[in-house]
Amino acid sequence: MSGSATPSSAMLYFSGATAALLMFQLGYHLGELNGLACVGTVDPVAVPDPNEPGFLGMSVCLPMPRIAYSLANGALALAGAAGALWAGRACDQYGRVRTMQLLNVPLIAAALVMTFAVNYPMLFVGRLLAGLGTGGGSVLTPIYLSEVSPNAKRGFLGVFSVLGLGSGLFVTSLIPFLFPAPQMWRLMTFCSLFFAVLQLALLTVVPETPVHLKATGRVDEAKAVMRKMTWSDAEIAQATDVESAKPSKDATAAPKEAVSLGEFLTAGKHRKSLLVLVMSHATQQLSGINAFFSFSFSILMLIFPTAYATSLFYVCFNAYYVLLQFIPGNLLERYGRRPLMLVSIFSMAFFAALFTVADKALHQPYVQLVGFVGAVTVFSFGLSSIPFILTAEVVEPAAVGVASQVSLAVNNLSNFVILVAFPPLLDAIGSYTFLILAGYLVAMGVVALRILPETKGKTPAEVVAELRETAAKA
């Protein structure tokens, strides 16, 4: 085992990075409309002729009111909920890798439809297609990362999800900075085609997860994958014990003991796990984090005097956010999930409130900047990755698929609320919007203090047993 540790670790990280490309595409699509021309006051660059030929001969401008722009942003999350529900079932039926391949089909179509959109409805349809793919990807990526990881590396590999998300946001800030002409927003949508095709190619050499292989009776294949992924002999023996290794009659079907959606939502034994997942995923999005990125230009224009200064800071800030993602993996294994989650929630509430106070009471734009950067920084230490990691850690393996469906449906619907509601609120009450976010975070922090378990160093079965024991005592 020791002699093959280096190449095996390379395969583990390569497979994790390939799966995380779906999260990269989520981050990319979250930020791709920041430079869209002719949207209310979102783009300060004057467009002299909306019909002037632009990128690939298409028109520069797709005129739309601000609310339509908000809905186009929100469409990604709305369709993402549907994509999450489908992917949670499909990953059991078709396998994790095949489902990831299928999710890239609507992503390829989205890139083409948006790039060649001649009107708002086409753009909206493209955003819906992108949402189907990225919503499903937000289910599949954490499942895949959790199921291929040995226990010692599960926390570190789990951070690949948010590392991919942050990298996608960084690229969407860099492209309009390098190509600021209004018509180049279509270059942004066109480039997303490359990332979907790239992932399709890489997925041809990425192995299926041991969990799915074992569930479909391919135990020897599961053991081979575990060895490639640096699992210890003890972990392999435990994961492929005789009772759990019995092959199913139909190797292509989901395991018979898989928990149904109705059972997971209604059975008392799953209630505590359900509450933990709903709380963590809703809080991740209703914290307003995607508003910080999707509407960053509007927010930062409250602080910086020029569009160029805003764009430059946004590029640097996104690079900083990507670098931040290398820190939580080590923190997770050292301090655990619960402490980091609680610190992240309460600290983000503080910085969101600081943003409002700095604007309305102190009238200090650079203190506002501290609030903006501070909120995103503390988000990355807990809220960014822990909800995804918990999805596979607070339920038994038979419920992972349905738990992912529910979690990501909640996640995407919460994101939809933020993306649609944030711009009108920002226009109506300005920085007081962040005070609302702060109040919500404090309330959810109090809830988390009561129900959030620690999962570090424990198997899902141990965590589930603890949750059910505390629920029985309540």
Side-chain angles (χ1 to χ4, degrees):
M1 291 289 292
S2 60
S4 61
T6 299
S8 296
S9 296
M11 174 55 76
L12 174 65
Y13 297 138
F14 170 78
S15 300
T18 298
L21 276 172
L22 276 171
M23 293 299 289
F24 174 95
Q25 293 185 77
L26 172 58
Y28 191 95
H29 285 292
L30 276 171
E32 71 185 344
L33 296 188
N34 256 336
L36 188 62
C38 302
V39 183
T41 58
V42 171
D43 188 348
V45 179
V47 182
D49 183 0
N51 297 313
E52 177 186 349
F55 182 70
L56 296 179
M58 302 300 295
S59 63
V60 173
C61 187
L62 288 181
M64 67 187 74
R66 181 119 171 149
I67 186 61
Y69 174 73
S70 298
L71 289 172
N73 265 306
L76 186 78
L78 188 63
L85 289 171
W86 177 82
R89 296 182 180 182
C91 70
D92 285 333
Q93 183 174 358
Y94 304 118
R96 282 45 165 161
V97 172
R98 179 59 59 85
T99 304
M100 285 192 284
Q101 291 172 330
L102 292 173
L103 288 170
N104 277 283
V105 174
L107 288 167
I108 289 172
L112 296 173
V113 170
M114 287 189 286
T115 299
F116 296 101
V118 296
N119 51 38
Y120 176 78
M122 281 188 69
L123 180 72
F124 192 83
V125 169
R127 293 290 287 174
L128 290 175
L129 289 168
L132 289 174
T134 56
S138 62
V139 169
L140 261 294
T141 302
I143 290 178
Y144 186 90
L145 294 175
S146 176
E147 290 182 352
V148 299
S149 303
N151 285 334
K153 297 177 181 175
R154 197 195 311 157
F156 178 77
L157 208 70
V159 177
F160 277 40
S161 288
V162 289
L163 185 60
L165 181 68
S167 298
L169 286 164
F170 170 71
V171 172
T172 58
S173 68
L174 186 61
I175 291 176
F177 181 75
L178 296 176
F179 305 97
Q183 65 266 31
M184 298 309 289
W185 70 268
R186 292 185 189 271
L187 172 64
M188 183 96 75
T189 58
F190 185 72
C191 285
S192 64
L193 178 66
F194 166 76
F195 301 113
V197 172
L198 174 64
Q199 187 176 38
L200 275 177
L202 295 178
L203 284 170
T204 60
V205 296
V206 165
E208 183 54 80
T209 72
V211 171
H212 183 74
L213 290 171
K214 188 185 73 172
T216 54
R218 294 175 284 174
V219 179
D220 290 339
E221 290 181 54
K223 290 180 178 179
V225 172
M226 291 177 197
R227 293 188 183 98
K228 287 182 180 179
M229 301 299 179
T230 68
W231 289 44
S232 69
D233 291 337
E235 287 176 315
I236 294 174
Q238 183 181 18
T240 56
D241 62 76
V242 175
E243 182 63 29
S244 64
K246 292 179 181 178
S248 61
K249 293 181 181 179
D250 182 0
T252 63
K256 288 185 177 181
E257 59 274 5
V259 176
S260 69
L261 178 61
E263 180 185 352
F264 187 69
L265 292 175
T266 59
K269 65 180 181 178
H270 298 299
R271 189 160 300 142
K272 196 72 177 287
S273 296
L274 177 62
L275 287 174
V276 169
L277 293 176
V278 170
M279 180 279 299
S280 59
H281 281 271
T283 303
Q284 183 190 64
Q285 295 302 332
L286 294 177
S287 68
I289 187 61
N290 282 331
F292 280 91
F293 288 106
S294 294
F295 305 106
S296 56
F297 202 94
S298 298
I299 297 170
L300 293 171
M301 282 296 286
L302 297 174
I303 303 172
F304 289 100
T306 67
Y308 178 81
T310 298
S311 297
L312 179 60
F313 174 81
Y314 188 48
V315 171
C316 296
F317 174 72
N318 275 289
Y320 163 74
Y321 183 69
V322 172
L323 294 175
L324 275 178
Q325 306 315 312
F326 290 98
I327 300 175
N330 294 322
L331 295 178
L332 284 168
E333 297 310 325
R334 178 176 297 183
Y335 300 110
R337 282 58 158 159
R338 178 182 163 90
L340 289 177
M341 185 77 161
L342 291 171
V343 169
S344 184
I345 292 173
F346 285 114
S347 298
M348 194 173 180
F350 168 78
F351 283 114
L354 178 64
F355 189 95
T356 302
V357 172
D359 180 37
K360 299 300 182 183
L362 303 178
H363 307 291
Q364 292 292 329
Y366 292 105
V367 178
Q368 281 183 267
L369 194 60
V370 170
F372 182 90
V373 175
V376 176
T377 299
V378 296
F379 175 87
S380 71
F381 289 167
L383 275 169
S384 66
S385 58
I386 291 175
F388 294 119
I389 295 172
L390 290 177
T391 302
E393 291 187 341
V394 299
V395 297
E396 64 265 44
V400 168
V402 70
S404 298
Q405 287 179 274
V406 173
S407 297
L408 274 301
V410 170
N411 195 294
N412 280 281
L413 289 173
S414 301
N415 191 17
F416 174 77
V417 170
I418 283 291
L419 292 177
V420 172
F422 187 84
L425 277 174
L426 195 63
D427 286 343
I429 61 176
S431 61
Y432 284 118
T433 305
F434 295 90
L435 207 55
I436 297 174
L437 299 177
Y440 170 80
L441 284 163
V442 169
M444 288 301 100
V446 173
V447 172
L449 279 169
R450 293 180 57 85
I451 70 171
L452 189 66
E454 179 54 75
T455 62
K456 172 179 173 283
K458 301 174 184 177
T459 66
E462 291 171 337
V463 174
V464 170
E466 290 178 10
L467 287 173
R468 290 176 181 172
E469 182 180 351
T470 57
K473 292 179 180 178

